[in-house]
Each structure stands twice: as structure tokens, then as C-alpha cells.
Amino acid sequence: MTSNVTAVSYGPKLTASGLDKLRSALTGSGATLQSESRGGDSRFEVHTAEVAVADGTDAGISALRRAVAEAAQDGLDTAIVPAGLRAAPRKLLIMDVDSTLIQQEVIELLAAYAGKREEVAAVTEAAMRGELDFAQSLHARVAVLAGLPAAVIDSVRAEVKLSEGAAELVAAFKAAGHVVAVVSGGFNQILGPIAEDLGLDYWLANELEIVDGALTGKVLGAVIDRAAKEKYLREWAAAEGIAMEHTIAVGDGANDLDMLGAAGMGVAFNAKPAVRAVADSAINMPYLDAVRHIAGV
């Protein structure tokens, strides 16, 4: 069975030797290069190769991804993308928030007001590496916020910065008629205004409990963990009538693994090693809009 895929390579500076190694990896795996093109801007370069593969099954594409990854040079990452995903008339992009859509970890910004930033940051890092249960770690981190005035939420919101290219990525997907969602282990009070500004179709995070104008150190309801992220990906795709193979998920931590695995394309964005190891593709530069090139948007 012959199936077309697209090899999308990107990096701050793509070298001739790096692209030659890519071509060798593709042809050495039995693939045939049909056409190539270059793009990008002053921040990063993009090389796109249309490829015919003999084995278009999931296993065959996974094997091709491994071969390309093993041949990669520093500064060049390549996503092997099924042609059906790139050509889909409607796609769903779902993203994590902390350290993905935005540059910071909100829980750490909040903890700074309690004098606990370093302590909380260490727990966050362990949780993102998959060493701790996410829900338990979140409850422990939020507990240090007990007694803080609710006004710190406004202060933290002012500190939050979108990742480079995030607004452009969302705008491009929306302009092309696609659906954009975010699901976060962070907090609705921070995410809400960001989601509204970006015009997101769906968004969800945890809810900090506030009583008498102060944080209680608790969250309301069930924690948005890795299982919940996959659940909402599936629910929102179904609600929009979008096949799962036409979804793209982007995240950086262990709590994103189920979502990345369920999506048609899972993208690890400046991610922890355990996430990069299993994602379909990785972006190891600070520009979130590289996802546009992967998705063909």
C-alpha cells in the first residue's frame, strides 16, 4: 500500500548536511521523495518534503519517524505528518497552557507571593517529568496559597506572557476555519481572559477556591489531569464532527501524554525527555507557530 506523508523540518538554521541526512534517512527507509520546498522567516527556517511510503500503516509511519529521528542533527527537527491530516478541511488544535501556550508556570507565579516559589517549582518539575501523581502534586502546591488575597490573581495575570508565535498560531487556525482549544492543569481565573482575547473555541482549567476574598489553598471539583485532557480532546472533537486523526495536540509535560497519544499528531513543545521520547514530533525552539507548518495551515 502506498501512502503519502509530508516530512516537515524546522530549525533556526537548516544546513545542507542536515537536510542530506534527512533525505538519506527517508530513502533508506524505502520512501520516495516527490517534491521539496523551503519556507520560514527570520526566526526559523522550514523545509517541506512530500514523500511516498510503501507502508502507510501506523506502524510503518512510526518506523519512518524513528529512522528520521535517529538521523537528526542538532538544530533540525522533522515531523512526519500523514497527508490526510494536512489536507483535512477542518482540524482541531488542542494545547496545554503552562509552558506551552504561555511561557510561565502559573502555580509558580502564585507561589512566589507566598514565598514558596522554589519549593513549588521543584514539585512542578517532578510532576512534569512524570515522577509524581499530577492531582496529588497539584493539591500540595495549591495548599501553599492558602490565605493569599484573591487580588494576587490579577497581579499574576499581568505577569503572564504568551509563548512566541502563540497568537499568530491561533489566528491562523481560526482564519482557516479550524477549531482551537486549550485544556490546562492550571487555573480558570488566569486562563479565562487569555482564552477570550485569543477567541478560543474551547477552554478548561482548574478552579481556585476563593472565600471571603482570599484563596483557601484548594481547587473546586475534579482536577484536570492527564486523563481529563484526553477526555476533553475526544469530547470536543466529537462535538465538532472532527475525526481524531485530524486533531493536533501540543504539550510539554507528563500530564499531556494521554492527549498527545490520542491525537492524530502529538507535538512535544520544548518538552521533558519522557514526552519527547513518545510524541509524534518535537519542537525544540521557542516558536509555537511552528505547529502551523506541521499542520499545513
Side-chain angles (χ1 to χ4, degrees):
M1 180 179 67
T2 298
S3 175
N4 289 327
V5 300
T6 303
V8 184
S9 302
Y10 37 85
K13 183 68 176 178
L14 302 186
T15 64
S17 62
L19 293 175
D20 283 343
K21 287 192 70 175
L22 168 66
R23 295 183 187 101
S24 296
L26 291 169
T27 56
S29 298
T32 302
L33 274 69
Q34 299 177 317
S35 65
E36 299 180 56
S37 60
R38 296 290 290 263
D41 54 33
S42 61
R43 300 167 304 147
F44 62 92
E45 299 179 350
V46 179
H47 175 272
T48 303
E50 301 300 333
V51 180
V53 295
D55 183 359
T57 65
D58 289 345
I61 291 175
S62 294
L64 184 60
R65 285 175 176 149
R66 287 193 298 273
V68 167
E70 290 168 1
Q73 291 187 350
D74 288 345
L76 184 151
D77 289 300
T78 298
I80 302 297
V81 192
L85 171 57
R86 285 175 58 88
R90 288 189 82 230
K91 307 167 192 177
L92 185 150
L93 169 65
I94 186 169
M95 295 179 283
D96 174 44
V97 176
D98 294 53
S99 296
T100 300
L101 181 70
I102 65 173
Q103 298 179 28
Q104 301 91 349
E105 291 284 336
V106 166
I107 185 65
E108 295 173 14
L109 299 181
L110 288 166
Y113 287 87
K116 299 285 188 178
R117 182 166 189 162
E118 291 185 4
E119 172 187 321
V120 166
V123 176
T124 298
E125 279 291 308
M128 292 302 99
R129 291 193 300 265
E131 298 167 5
L132 301 173
D133 175 81
F134 181 81
Q136 291 179 352
S137 76
L138 181 72
H139 287 306
R141 286 175 287 163
V142 171
V144 309
L145 308 178
L148 286 177
V152 302
I153 292 172
D154 295 327
S155 300
V156 165
R157 194 181 297 124
E159 295 179 52
V160 168
K161 293 182 179 180
L162 292 175
S163 292
E164 293 189 56
E168 293 81 357
L169 172 64
V170 173
F173 264 75
K174 294 288 293 175
H178 304 304
V179 178
V180 184
V182 297
V183 60
S184 173
F187 309 106
N188 283 327
Q189 287 93 337
I190 301 295
L191 178 56
I194 296 172
E196 291 176 8
D197 286 345
L198 291 174
L200 300 180
D201 297 286
Y202 298 93
W203 59 273
L204 187 67
N206 297 298
E207 185 80 13
L208 290 166
E209 184 180 57
I210 299 172
V211 175
D212 296 330
L215 302 183
T216 66
K218 299 177 182 179
V219 292
L220 298 172
V223 168
I224 303 298
D225 57 8
R226 61 189 284 177
K229 289 189 173 192
E230 178 187 354
K231 171 179 177 283
Y232 285 106
L233 162 61
R234 293 185 181 278
E235 283 190 7
W236 294 336
E240 294 290 337
I242 296 174
M244 286 297 292
E245 56 264 33
H246 297 160
T247 64
I248 305 103
V250 188
D252 72 296
N255 64 324
D256 299 315
L257 284 171
D258 293 2
M259 176 176 76
L260 297 183
M265 191 78 189
V267 182
F269 181 68
N270 295 313
K272 302 298 181 288
V275 179
R276 290 200 306 270
V278 299
D280 298 319
S281 61
I283 297 172
N284 295 302
M285 55 184 184
Y287 310 116
L288 189 61
D289 55 325
V291 174
R292 285 186 61 185
H293 297 280
I294 293 173
V297 173

